[in-house]
Amino acid sequence: MKTTSKQNLNDFNQIKYGYPDENGHYGIFGGTFVAETLIKPLQDLKDTYYKLKNDPDFLKELYTEFENYVGRPTPLYFAKRLTDKLNGANIFLKREDLCHTGAHKINNTIGQAILAKKMGKTRIIAETGAGQHGVASATVAARLGMECVVYMGEQDIYRQSQNVYRMKLLGAEVIPVTSGSRTLKDALNEALRDWVTNVDNTFYIIGTVAGPSPYPELVRDFQAIIGREVITQMQDIDKKVDALVACVGGGSNAIGLFYPFINTSSKMYGIEAAGNGLETGKHSAPLNKGKVGVLHGNRTYLLEDENGQIIETHSISAGLDYPGVGPEHALLKDLGLVEYKSATDEEAIQAFHELSRVEGIIPALETSHAVAYTFKLAKEMKKNQNIVINLSGRGDKDLNTVAKLEGIKI
Ligand SMILES: *Cc1c(COP(=O)(O)O)cnc(C)c1O
């Protein structure tokens, strides 16, 4: 399967679904809620992106990087033993865990870094929670010879020391954020502040389909290579896609899989982190339990208290531990085009072990939420039906978390 390099971002124009509108709104969601000083830089970014997304030179560079640096197309793997064991629908895994750096995040960072270079920027900044987006940003900055600064909550720096060292090895500077809860949402605020000050030479790479317009749109477009490859790969083996399943943190791997399937007959399931359980209040499931509000430049579903204060989220997986979600998912929920379900920490851990033992693939804890939900879904569907799970990342980064939980010293 080598057809992907011949596809291009124009394919998006064929999708009959008109979001976002010209102001970056997804129905009542999305938009541009930022300081006045950022309006012009965001407009410049949008203008450049709209010009380049149809430009053959840009697309050639992007697809060359996808093939030779990221390792695309990623395989679509039939999980036969898991399918047999569950005795339900056929389960296919889209192997984003095999991307360079071990997850889907690099699809987006390489795209944004090429944009940055085309705009004449020499410095990249990024925010990171677990460190995965920081690593993916530091990686592409090294690849393109750009300076890189990553903002990371002090709390997360302590929890994710391996990724901090990885970013340093890649030549990035990691700046600890000591405000607020010293985690991802505070790092995002700090990165926006840096951007306001240094916008002349600096490009801000956002790590998921959140933030002010046009970020949710361009991150989606770079990640949609995932779904487009799945369409071709399933056609090649003459199979219909009955259901798609992906975990939802900010929502980039999920929208990457879903977007090319919107308005087709395939059913779509986005899986949020239910943490200790949706009823305990200790979770990260804004689409299941949130209210509409504004955070980080866009309107979306958020986890907040009665006074509109953002509440502390909880998930075993750092990558799903975010109080908001991309605005396009908020719309897809309200339109009923995607069903948003959840999996608890416990279910995710069980799925983590099961996939490791049955298929020899250790998934990321984020991904394990999608796998856990599929265990239920496969049994409800017919045996000749097909489910594709977005295997968003590999689990190496989570070994310490799982071992510690089980009282094992490694
Ligand atoms: C970061 C991450 C996620 C969550 O981010 P999305 O934007 O929701 O995709 C999911 N899986 C893995 C492996 C990640 O690293």
mmCIF file with all atom_site columns, all heavy atoms in Angstrom, residues 83 86-91 377-379 381-387:
data_model
loop_
_atom_site.group_PDB
_atom_site.id
_atom_site.type_symbol
_atom_site.label_atom_id
_atom_site.label_alt_id
_atom_site.label_comp_id
_atom_site.label_asym_id
_atom_site.label_entity_id
_atom_site.label_seq_id
_atom_site.pdbx_PDB_ins_code
_atom_site.Cartn_x
_atom_site.Cartn_y
_atom_site.Cartn_z
_atom_site.occupancy
_atom_site.B_iso_or_equiv
_atom_site.pdbx_formal_charge
_atom_site.auth_seq_id
_atom_site.auth_comp_id
_atom_site.auth_asym_id
_atom_site.auth_atom_id
_atom_site.pdbx_PDB_model_num
ATOM 1   N N   . THR A 1 83  ? -9.863  -11.120 18.199 1.00 0.00 ? 83  THR A N   1
ATOM 2   C CA  . THR A 1 83  ? -11.184 -11.324 17.585 1.00 0.00 ? 83  THR A CA  1
ATOM 3   C C   . THR A 1 83  ? -11.762 -12.678 17.996 1.00 0.00 ? 83  THR A C   1
ATOM 4   O O   . THR A 1 83  ? -12.910 -12.770 18.452 1.00 0.00 ? 83  THR A O   1
ATOM 5   C CB  . THR A 1 83  ? -11.073 -11.244 16.044 1.00 0.00 ? 83  THR A CB  1
ATOM 6   O OG1 . THR A 1 83  ? -10.605 -9.936  15.687 1.00 0.00 ? 83  THR A OG1 1
ATOM 7   C CG2 . THR A 1 83  ? -12.412 -11.498 15.375 1.00 0.00 ? 83  THR A CG2 1
ATOM 8   N N   . LEU A 1 86  ? -12.805 -12.768 21.727 1.00 0.00 ? 86  LEU A N   1
ATOM 9   C CA  . LEU A 1 86  ? -14.023 -12.037 22.077 1.00 0.00 ? 86  LEU A CA  1
ATOM 10  C C   . LEU A 1 86  ? -15.250 -12.633 21.396 1.00 0.00 ? 86  LEU A C   1
ATOM 11  O O   . LEU A 1 86  ? -16.384 -12.378 21.792 1.00 0.00 ? 86  LEU A O   1
ATOM 12  C CB  . LEU A 1 86  ? -13.879 -10.561 21.706 1.00 0.00 ? 86  LEU A CB  1
ATOM 13  C CG  . LEU A 1 86  ? -12.808 -9.791  22.482 1.00 0.00 ? 86  LEU A CG  1
ATOM 14  C CD1 . LEU A 1 86  ? -12.609 -8.417  21.882 1.00 0.00 ? 86  LEU A CD1 1
ATOM 15  C CD2 . LEU A 1 86  ? -13.172 -9.680  23.959 1.00 0.00 ? 86  LEU A CD2 1
ATOM 16  N N   . ASN A 1 87  ? -14.992 -13.366 20.298 1.00 0.00 ? 87  ASN A N   1
ATOM 17  C CA  . ASN A 1 87  ? -16.071 -14.066 19.620 1.00 0.00 ? 87  ASN A CA  1
ATOM 18  C C   . ASN A 1 87  ? -17.172 -13.110 19.127 1.00 0.00 ? 87  ASN A C   1
ATOM 19  O O   . ASN A 1 87  ? -18.352 -13.391 19.266 1.00 0.00 ? 87  ASN A O   1
ATOM 20  C CB  . ASN A 1 87  ? -16.652 -15.135 20.565 1.00 0.00 ? 87  ASN A CB  1
ATOM 21  C CG  . ASN A 1 87  ? -17.419 -16.195 19.792 1.00 0.00 ? 87  ASN A CG  1
ATOM 22  O OD1 . ASN A 1 87  ? -17.142 -16.409 18.607 1.00 0.00 ? 87  ASN A OD1 1
ATOM 23  N ND2 . ASN A 1 87  ? -18.374 -16.835 20.439 1.00 0.00 ? 87  ASN A ND2 1
ATOM 24  N N   . GLY A 1 88  ? -16.723 -11.967 18.572 1.00 0.00 ? 88  GLY A N   1
ATOM 25  C CA  . GLY A 1 88  ? -17.667 -10.982 18.033 1.00 0.00 ? 88  GLY A CA  1
ATOM 26  C C   . GLY A 1 88  ? -17.155 -10.433 16.718 1.00 0.00 ? 88  GLY A C   1
ATOM 27  O O   . GLY A 1 88  ? -16.599 -11.190 15.908 1.00 0.00 ? 88  GLY A O   1
ATOM 28  N N   . ALA A 1 89  ? -17.343 -9.137  16.505 1.00 0.00 ? 89  ALA A N   1
ATOM 29  C CA  . ALA A 1 89  ? -16.912 -8.508  15.252 1.00 0.00 ? 89  ALA A CA  1
ATOM 30  C C   . ALA A 1 89  ? -15.395 -8.602  15.073 1.00 0.00 ? 89  ALA A C   1
ATOM 31  O O   . ALA A 1 89  ? -14.651 -8.762  16.047 1.00 0.00 ? 89  ALA A O   1
ATOM 32  C CB  . ALA A 1 89  ? -17.348 -7.042  15.256 1.00 0.00 ? 89  ALA A CB  1
ATOM 33  N N   . ASN A 1 90  ? -14.947 -8.493  13.804 1.00 0.00 ? 90  ASN A N   1
ATOM 34  C CA  . ASN A 1 90  ? -13.505 -8.498  13.504 1.00 0.00 ? 90  ASN A CA  1
ATOM 35  C C   . ASN A 1 90  ? -12.860 -7.206  13.995 1.00 0.00 ? 90  ASN A C   1
ATOM 36  O O   . ASN A 1 90  ? -13.400 -6.121  13.775 1.00 0.00 ? 90  ASN A O   1
ATOM 37  C CB  . ASN A 1 90  ? -13.275 -8.593  12.001 1.00 0.00 ? 90  ASN A CB  1
ATOM 38  C CG  . ASN A 1 90  ? -13.808 -9.895  11.431 1.00 0.00 ? 90  ASN A CG  1
ATOM 39  O OD1 . ASN A 1 90  ? -13.568 -10.964 11.990 1.00 0.00 ? 90  ASN A OD1 1
ATOM 40  N ND2 . ASN A 1 90  ? -14.544 -9.797  10.327 1.00 0.00 ? 90  ASN A ND2 1
ATOM 41  N N   . ILE A 1 91  ? -11.687 -7.338  14.610 1.00 0.00 ? 91  ILE A N   1
ATOM 42  C CA  . ILE A 1 91  ? -11.009 -6.151  15.140 1.00 0.00 ? 91  ILE A CA  1
ATOM 43  C C   . ILE A 1 91  ? -9.719  -5.877  14.373 1.00 0.00 ? 91  ILE A C   1
ATOM 44  O O   . ILE A 1 91  ? -8.846  -6.749  14.259 1.00 0.00 ? 91  ILE A O   1
ATOM 45  C CB  . ILE A 1 91  ? -10.702 -6.335  16.640 1.00 0.00 ? 91  ILE A CB  1
ATOM 46  C CG1 . ILE A 1 91  ? -12.020 -6.492  17.407 1.00 0.00 ? 91  ILE A CG1 1
ATOM 47  C CG2 . ILE A 1 91  ? -9.916  -5.148  17.182 1.00 0.00 ? 91  ILE A CG2 1
ATOM 48  C CD1 . ILE A 1 91  ? -11.849 -6.868  18.856 1.00 0.00 ? 91  ILE A CD1 1
ATOM 49  N N   . LEU A 1 377 ? -18.014 -3.540  22.708 1.00 0.00 ? 377 LEU A N   1
ATOM 50  C CA  . LEU A 1 377 ? -18.632 -3.284  21.404 1.00 0.00 ? 377 LEU A CA  1
ATOM 51  C C   . LEU A 1 377 ? -18.582 -4.521  20.497 1.00 0.00 ? 377 LEU A C   1
ATOM 52  O O   . LEU A 1 377 ? -19.575 -4.861  19.847 1.00 0.00 ? 377 LEU A O   1
ATOM 53  C CB  . LEU A 1 377 ? -17.916 -2.101  20.727 1.00 0.00 ? 377 LEU A CB  1
ATOM 54  C CG  . LEU A 1 377 ? -18.479 -1.641  19.386 1.00 0.00 ? 377 LEU A CG  1
ATOM 55  C CD1 . LEU A 1 377 ? -19.885 -1.078  19.559 1.00 0.00 ? 377 LEU A CD1 1
ATOM 56  C CD2 . LEU A 1 377 ? -17.554 -0.583  18.753 1.00 0.00 ? 377 LEU A CD2 1
ATOM 57  N N   . ALA A 1 378 ? -17.425 -5.181  20.464 1.00 0.00 ? 378 ALA A N   1
ATOM 58  C CA  . ALA A 1 378 ? -17.248 -6.324  19.556 1.00 0.00 ? 378 ALA A CA  1
ATOM 59  C C   . ALA A 1 378 ? -18.283 -7.403  19.838 1.00 0.00 ? 378 ALA A C   1
ATOM 60  O O   . ALA A 1 378 ? -18.812 -8.042  18.921 1.00 0.00 ? 378 ALA A O   1
ATOM 61  C CB  . ALA A 1 378 ? -15.836 -6.897  19.694 1.00 0.00 ? 378 ALA A CB  1
ATOM 62  N N   . LYS A 1 379 ? -18.590 -7.577  21.130 1.00 0.00 ? 379 LYS A N   1
ATOM 63  C CA  . LYS A 1 379 ? -19.544 -8.621  21.505 1.00 0.00 ? 379 LYS A CA  1
ATOM 64  C C   . LYS A 1 379 ? -20.972 -8.264  21.106 1.00 0.00 ? 379 LYS A C   1
ATOM 65  O O   . LYS A 1 379 ? -21.807 -9.150  20.942 1.00 0.00 ? 379 LYS A O   1
ATOM 66  C CB  . LYS A 1 379 ? -19.476 -8.870  23.019 1.00 0.00 ? 379 LYS A CB  1
ATOM 67  C CG  . LYS A 1 379 ? -18.176 -9.553  23.430 1.00 0.00 ? 379 LYS A CG  1
ATOM 68  C CD  . LYS A 1 379 ? -18.103 -9.712  24.932 1.00 0.00 ? 379 LYS A CD  1
ATOM 69  C CE  . LYS A 1 379 ? -16.705 -10.126 25.367 1.00 0.00 ? 379 LYS A CE  1
ATOM 70  N NZ  . LYS A 1 379 ? -16.440 -9.832  26.773 1.00 0.00 ? 379 LYS A NZ  1
ATOM 71  N N   . MET A 1 381 ? -21.707 -6.635  18.351 1.00 0.00 ? 381 MET A N   1
ATOM 72  C CA  . MET A 1 381 ? -21.819 -6.570  16.889 1.00 0.00 ? 381 MET A CA  1
ATOM 73  C C   . MET A 1 381 ? -21.763 -7.975  16.280 1.00 0.00 ? 381 MET A C   1
ATOM 74  O O   . MET A 1 381 ? -21.411 -8.936  16.935 1.00 0.00 ? 381 MET A O   1
ATOM 75  C CB  . MET A 1 381 ? -20.709 -5.677  16.328 1.00 0.00 ? 381 MET A CB  1
ATOM 76  C CG  . MET A 1 381 ? -20.956 -4.196  16.640 1.00 0.00 ? 381 MET A CG  1
ATOM 77  S SD  . MET A 1 381 ? -19.572 -3.108  16.222 1.00 0.00 ? 381 MET A SD  1
ATOM 78  C CE  . MET A 1 381 ? -19.371 -3.397  14.474 1.00 0.00 ? 381 MET A CE  1
ATOM 79  N N   . LYS A 1 382 ? -22.120 -8.046  14.985 1.00 0.00 ? 382 LYS A N   1
ATOM 80  C CA  . LYS A 1 382 ? -22.134 -9.349  14.311 1.00 0.00 ? 382 LYS A CA  1
ATOM 81  C C   . LYS A 1 382 ? -20.720 -9.787  13.952 1.00 0.00 ? 382 LYS A C   1
ATOM 82  O O   . LYS A 1 382 ? -19.832 -8.976  13.742 1.00 0.00 ? 382 LYS A O   1
ATOM 83  C CB  . LYS A 1 382 ? -22.964 -9.250  13.033 1.00 0.00 ? 382 LYS A CB  1
ATOM 84  C CG  . LYS A 1 382 ? -24.427 -8.928  13.291 1.00 0.00 ? 382 LYS A CG  1
ATOM 85  C CD  . LYS A 1 382 ? -25.263 -9.364  12.083 1.00 0.00 ? 382 LYS A CD  1
ATOM 86  C CE  . LYS A 1 382 ? -26.678 -8.845  12.208 1.00 0.00 ? 382 LYS A CE  1
ATOM 87  N NZ  . LYS A 1 382 ? -26.759 -7.405  11.848 1.00 0.00 ? 382 LYS A NZ  1
ATOM 88  N N   . LYS A 1 383 ? -20.567 -11.105 13.829 1.00 0.00 ? 383 LYS A N   1
ATOM 89  C CA  . LYS A 1 383 ? -19.238 -11.667 13.580 1.00 0.00 ? 383 LYS A CA  1
ATOM 90  C C   . LYS A 1 383 ? -18.613 -11.232 12.257 1.00 0.00 ? 383 LYS A C   1
ATOM 91  O O   . LYS A 1 383 ? -17.394 -11.187 12.128 1.00 0.00 ? 383 LYS A O   1
ATOM 92  C CB  . LYS A 1 383 ? -19.334 -13.195 13.613 1.00 0.00 ? 383 LYS A CB  1
ATOM 93  C CG  . LYS A 1 383 ? -19.209 -13.758 15.013 1.00 0.00 ? 383 LYS A CG  1
ATOM 94  C CD  . LYS A 1 383 ? -18.916 -15.222 14.936 1.00 0.00 ? 383 LYS A CD  1
ATOM 95  C CE  . LYS A 1 383 ? -18.609 -15.766 16.309 1.00 0.00 ? 383 LYS A CE  1
ATOM 96  N NZ  . LYS A 1 383 ? -18.244 -17.176 16.246 1.00 0.00 ? 383 LYS A NZ  1
ATOM 97  N N   . ASN A 1 384 ? -19.439 -10.958 11.260 1.00 0.00 ? 384 ASN A N   1
ATOM 98  C CA  . ASN A 1 384 ? -18.848 -10.558 9.971  1.00 0.00 ? 384 ASN A CA  1
ATOM 99  C C   . ASN A 1 384 ? -18.667 -9.039  9.861  1.00 0.00 ? 384 ASN A C   1
ATOM 100 O O   . ASN A 1 384 ? -18.301 -8.529  8.818  1.00 0.00 ? 384 ASN A O   1
ATOM 101 C CB  . ASN A 1 384 ? -19.688 -11.087 8.814  1.00 0.00 ? 384 ASN A CB  1
ATOM 102 C CG  . ASN A 1 384 ? -21.105 -10.532 8.872  1.00 0.00 ? 384 ASN A CG  1
ATOM 103 O OD1 . ASN A 1 384 ? -21.470 -9.850  9.829  1.00 0.00 ? 384 ASN A OD1 1
ATOM 104 N ND2 . ASN A 1 384 ? -21.892 -10.811 7.841  1.00 0.00 ? 384 ASN A ND2 1
ATOM 105 N N   . GLN A 1 385 ? -18.947 -8.320  10.942 1.00 0.00 ? 385 GLN A N   1
ATOM 106 C CA  . GLN A 1 385 ? -18.741 -6.867  10.909 1.00 0.00 ? 385 GLN A CA  1
ATOM 107 C C   . GLN A 1 385 ? -17.304 -6.520  11.320 1.00 0.00 ? 385 GLN A C   1
ATOM 108 O O   . GLN A 1 385 ? -16.618 -7.340  11.928 1.00 0.00 ? 385 GLN A O   1
ATOM 109 C CB  . GLN A 1 385 ? -19.747 -6.176  11.835 1.00 0.00 ? 385 GLN A CB  1
ATOM 110 C CG  . GLN A 1 385 ? -21.170 -6.271  11.301 1.00 0.00 ? 385 GLN A CG  1
ATOM 111 C CD  . GLN A 1 385 ? -22.125 -5.404  12.105 1.00 0.00 ? 385 GLN A CD  1
ATOM 112 O OE1 . GLN A 1 385 ? -22.268 -5.593  13.307 1.00 0.00 ? 385 GLN A OE1 1
ATOM 113 N NE2 . GLN A 1 385 ? -22.773 -4.464  11.436 1.00 0.00 ? 385 GLN A NE2 1
ATOM 114 N N   . ASN A 1 386 ? -16.890 -5.288  10.972 1.00 0.00 ? 386 ASN A N   1
ATOM 115 C CA  . ASN A 1 386 ? -15.499 -4.900  11.194 1.00 0.00 ? 386 ASN A CA  1
ATOM 116 C C   . ASN A 1 386 ? -15.371 -3.622  12.007 1.00 0.00 ? 386 ASN A C   1
ATOM 117 O O   . ASN A 1 386 ? -16.047 -2.633  11.733 1.00 0.00 ? 386 ASN A O   1
ATOM 118 C CB  . ASN A 1 386 ? -14.802 -4.678  9.847  1.00 0.00 ? 386 ASN A CB  1
ATOM 119 C CG  . ASN A 1 386 ? -14.914 -5.902  8.950  1.00 0.00 ? 386 ASN A CG  1
ATOM 120 O OD1 . ASN A 1 386 ? -14.552 -7.011  9.351  1.00 0.00 ? 386 ASN A OD1 1
ATOM 121 N ND2 . ASN A 1 386 ? -15.448 -5.715  7.746  1.00 0.00 ? 386 ASN A ND2 1
ATOM 122 N N   . ILE A 1 387 ? -14.481 -3.687  13.003 1.00 0.00 ? 387 ILE A N   1
ATOM 123 C CA  . ILE A 1 387 ? -14.183 -2.524  13.847 1.00 0.00 ? 387 ILE A CA  1
ATOM 124 C C   . ILE A 1 387 ? -12.724 -2.122  13.621 1.00 0.00 ? 387 ILE A C   1
ATOM 125 O O   . ILE A 1 387 ? -11.850 -2.986  13.602 1.00 0.00 ? 387 ILE A O   1
ATOM 126 C CB  . ILE A 1 387 ? -14.333 -2.876  15.351 1.00 0.00 ? 387 ILE A CB  1
ATOM 127 C CG1 . ILE A 1 387 ? -15.723 -3.429  15.660 1.00 0.00 ? 387 ILE A CG1 1
ATOM 128 C CG2 . ILE A 1 387 ? -14.021 -1.667  16.224 1.00 0.00 ? 387 ILE A CG2 1
ATOM 129 C CD1 . ILE A 1 387 ? -15.882 -3.917  17.101 1.00 0.00 ? 387 ILE A CD1 1
#
